[in-house]
Amino acid sequence: MTSPASALSQLKQFTTVVADTGDFERMREYQPQDATTNPSLILKAAQQASYQALVNQVKSAHSGIKPVDLVDHILVAFGLEILKIVPGRVSTEVDARLSFDTLATIKKAKHLISLYESHGIDRKRVLIKLAGTWEGIEAAKSLEAEGIHCNMTLLFSLVQAAACGAVNAKLISPFVGRITDWYKTKLGGNWSDENNGGANDPGVISVKRIFHYYKHFGISTEIMGASFRNTSQILELAGCDLLTISPELLSDLQKSTAVVEKQLNASNAANALSTENILALKLDESNFRLQLNNDAMATEKLAEGIRNFCIDTEKLEALLSN
């Protein structure tokens, strides 16, 4: 008797699954197409005993350089190991402290790509992660024109997504769980999983809205849902271009035999758009900043995300200084 298909294998029929971790040893079991990292994930991995040999190897090979520069080599070293496992792409993040400096972001992105290419990696296999600030989006516009593909992260609103699409960013990572966290806190005792979970989850609704906007207006930028708190959020977005999922939730999906149905369909985007009353957004700088400012959740979560990535980058630098 054939055993029932796992929820993970069913999900892969509708969506490209990406591993959201710097712990490349855990990736093999789930056979993701791509992998994403960020400063927090790399910091977590670099502190594990199983990766000390890699960290020490990088430190030895680049002794004497500043910690800020050593971090770049660590990020790429983990990326190189990940690319031995995944057949697709790895996402490597630019220093979050550059989130409001377009020229410095471009310079750092080009440096990271040059490090990958010095190891024989085609730039098509690397996505440079940039924060979804105006400056980050402007940097993506320049980088994409030079064939350096970008993954726009810390993305919490339709206006950020629309602006990224307008500059032909390769991929966006709209966050789900962090949006849900914000609304849970805001609603407090009025939050209920029954009324605010599943298809009504505010993080899920946000990504669906972006999906419908992109498909309706023919925007080619890939959409990769990110930052999940549970498997329900993931399965509600089956059919999204890509989903980046933590090893813990990949494991849950692997163990589950729940029936997975396609929830997002590009052909339905026009109808969904009419019911959601979404119009093409004005995307010049002043309108972008005003629309983002008027979205309290997106403004707060973007600022918090940048702060936390800055903190973890500084912790990684401190770790490498020892």
Side-chain angles (χ1 to χ4, degrees):
M1 182 176 177
T2 305
S3 56
S6 71
L8 180 59
S9 65
Q10 294 177 68
L11 179 64
K12 287 180 178 180
Q13 296 176 16
F14 307 122
T15 292
T16 297
V17 171
V18 180
D20 190 15
T21 179
D23 185 352
F24 50 81
E25 293 299 339
R26 297 190 65 185
M27 291 180 192
R28 303 178 196 276
E29 181 180 353
Y30 308 110
Q31 299 180 316
Q33 175 67 23
D34 296 347
T36 59
T37 65
N38 63 44
S40 303
L41 294 173
I42 296 297
L43 173 64
K44 181 179 178 181
Q47 291 174 311
Q48 296 178 27
S50 55
Y51 294 116
Q52 288 312 297
L54 178 61
V55 171
N56 291 334
Q57 180 184 342
V58 173
K59 289 172 69 174
S60 176
H62 303 283
S63 60
I65 69 172
K66 297 176 182 178
V68 65
D69 297 320
L70 191 55
V71 166
D72 294 341
H73 290 282
I74 286 289
L75 295 177
V76 171
F78 273 86
L80 291 171
E81 293 301 319
I82 288 169
L83 287 173
K84 294 176 183 177
I85 299 169
V86 302
R89 306 166 296 189
V90 66
S91 291
T92 297
E93 192 143 354
V94 162
D95 191 330
R97 293 170 295 190
L98 305 178
S99 296
F100 303 100
D101 188 330
T102 297
L103 293 179
T105 294
I106 293 170
K107 182 179 179 181
K108 179 68 77 173
K110 288 182 176 180
H111 177 58
L112 289 170
I113 286 293
S114 72
L115 291 179
Y116 274 108
E117 290 182 333
S118 72
H119 289 278
I121 301 299
D122 191 313
R123 62 178 56 185
K124 292 179 181 178
R125 296 197 69 199
V126 181
L127 294 175
I128 297 296
K129 289 182 79 173
L130 308 175
T133 58
W134 178 261
E135 293 80 4
I137 294 168
E138 284 291 288
K141 181 179 181 179
S142 175
L143 292 166
E144 290 286 354
E146 296 188 39
I148 298 175
H149 294 315
C150 301
N151 171 352
M152 307 306 295
T153 187
L154 294 175
L155 201 144
F156 302 96
S157 65
L158 181 60
V159 69
Q160 287 176 288
C164 292
V167 301
N168 297 313
K170 182 68 173 177
L171 181 146
I172 61 168
S173 296
F175 282 24
V176 177
R178 296 193 198 188
I179 292 177
T180 307
D181 295 344
W182 191 89
Y183 281 100
K184 269 190 172 183
T185 300
K186 185 176 178 64
L187 290 175
N190 292 321
W191 173 278
S192 79
D193 289 336
E194 183 178 353
N195 294 327
N196 305 111
N200 296 322
D201 185 298
V204 169
I205 291 171
S206 178
V207 175
K208 285 184 176 180
R209 196 163 180 245
I210 290 168
F211 182 90
H212 294 149
Y213 186 96
Y214 268 32
K215 304 310 177 186
H216 178 73
F217 290 110
I219 297 170
S220 61
T221 298
E222 299 169 32
I223 305 168
M224 180 171 72
S227 167
F228 295 106
R229 298 291 178 259
N230 53 62
T231 57
S232 171
Q233 292 174 331
I234 295 167
L235 299 182
E236 287 292 343
L237 293 175
C240 192
D241 300 336
L242 307 95
L243 297 173
T244 182
I245 306 169
S246 70
E248 292 77 19
L249 291 178
L250 286 171
S251 176
D252 290 344
L253 291 168
Q254 184 88 286
K255 295 171 184 174
S256 170
T257 55
V259 175
V260 179
E261 297 181 352
K262 190 174 185 178
Q263 302 295 329
L264 292 179
N265 193 317
S267 63
N268 295 334
N271 292 333
L273 207 68
S274 63
T275 60
E276 293 170 16
N277 193 31
I278 300 176
L279 303 175
L281 300 180
K282 294 182 179 179
L283 299 172
D284 58 277
E285 182 177 357
S286 61
N287 274 296
F288 173 88
R289 292 192 187 279
L290 181 61
Q291 290 172 76
L292 183 58
N293 180 78
N294 288 344
D295 186 333
M297 176 277 297
T299 298
E300 291 174 25
K301 298 308 288 186
L302 173 60
E304 178 188 68
I306 291 172
R307 279 197 305 271
N308 288 339
F309 281 164
C310 287
I311 289 169
D312 283 343
T313 298
E314 290 169 1
K315 287 181 179 179
L316 185 55
E317 288 177 355
L319 178 72
L320 296 174
S321 298
N322 296 331

